[in-house]
Amino acid sequence: MISTIKGDITGLDFDMIVNAANAHFARGGGVCGAIFAKAGPELDAFCAKLPKGKAGDVRISPAFGLPSKAILHAVGPIYEGTKENAQALAGCYWNCVAMAYQYKREHDLERLSLAFPCISTGIYGYPHEAACDIAVRTIRKIRSAFPDTKSIDIIFVCYEQIDYELYKKALKEL
Ligand code: APR
């Protein structure tokens, strides 16, 4: 199932939540700040040991104080309007679904819910509409190429009304 809701990604009980991370996987502002605040200082300590990443990379961590099973830290691109930006953003979605699927198999789970924020559309400045199009199009591509990933329920959690309207429209057309 692919759906969208408006709200705070840290306020609901998803199996896995995606953090819009920076390349150092360090505590930041935006959704990253909200996730670190709820997960607590153990997350800071865990992420301090992660190797530096680049746009498109995703690392997994325990959820610590959050009710989820794990957090996927996805490094979105800092928007400059390049093709590489779009590829890196799509890469975040590909890598998150791949890691969620691997986690599901390793833990022998029938289904798994995976919640995405609107990666890169805040501090990193990605235009909302283009980012939404990349996110929905990439999830659709993954599910047609790898039908088994349909056992992962995708929820796009929108904090801002503009994103919520865009995702509702995009999913209607899916
Ligand atoms: N729940 C869901 N979405 C949220 C929340 C929340 N609690 N708080 C913010 N958002 C939304 C923003 O409104 C935006 O739509 O998350 C989306 C991503 O915005 P940012 O959090 O600013 O992330 P991003 O644009 O990817 O920039 C990443 O910001 O916080 C730092 O450490 C982070 O350096 C990294 C950069």
Side-chain angles (χ1 to χ4, degrees):
M1 214 251 283
I2 306 177
S3 61
T4 185
I5 59 167
K6 185 160 182 299
D8 174 348
I9 202 166
T10 65
L12 295 157
D13 186 0
F14 302 109
D15 291 323
M16 280 186 146
I17 64 170
V18 175
N19 175 31
N22 52 62
H24 297 279
F25 302 101
R27 181 186 290 248
V31 67
C32 180
I35 287 171
F36 272 83
K38 288 259 177 94
E42 289 172 289
L43 183 60
D44 296 278
F46 183 92
C47 290
K49 298 193 200 89
L50 292 176
K52 189 171 182 307
K54 63 186 182 316
D57 286 349
V58 179
R59 305 256 197 278
I60 190 167
S61 81
F64 298 115
L66 276 166
S68 305
K69 297 179 190 310
I71 303 169
L72 293 178
H73 302 267
V75 183
I78 297 171
Y79 185 69
E80 293 148 339
T82 64
K83 192 164 53 56
E84 289 71 22
N85 286 167
Q87 286 163 347
L89 186 56
C92 286
Y93 290 89
W94 272 101
N95 292 328
C96 282
V97 174
M99 290 176 78
Y101 188 70
Q102 186 186 350
Y103 183 96
K104 187 176 89 64
R105 287 186 52 178
E106 281 167 2
H107 293 79
D108 205 16
L109 300 170
E110 270 297 294
R111 298 197 72 80
L112 183 132
S113 57
L114 173 62
F116 285 100
C118 304
I119 301 169
S120 279
T121 63
I123 295 165
Y124 280 0
Y126 217 105
H128 296 269
E129 193 151 5
C132 172
D133 182 54
I134 288 169
V136 174
R137 198 191 292 271
T138 303
I139 295 297
R140 189 178 55 199
K141 261 188 218 154
I142 295 169
R143 288 160 90 101
S144 59
F146 304 98
D148 285 0
T149 59
K150 289 181 180 166
S151 58
I152 297 173
D153 295 317
I154 302 282
I155 308 97
F156 292 110
V157 182
C158 300
Y159 201 59
E160 296 176 36
Q161 189 63 25
I162 176 174
D163 294 309
Y164 184 51
E165 297 303 328
L166 285 167
Y167 276 91
K168 277 194 297 186
K169 184 167 169 288
L171 294 184
K172 233 187 244 130
E173 288 156 10
L174 200 61

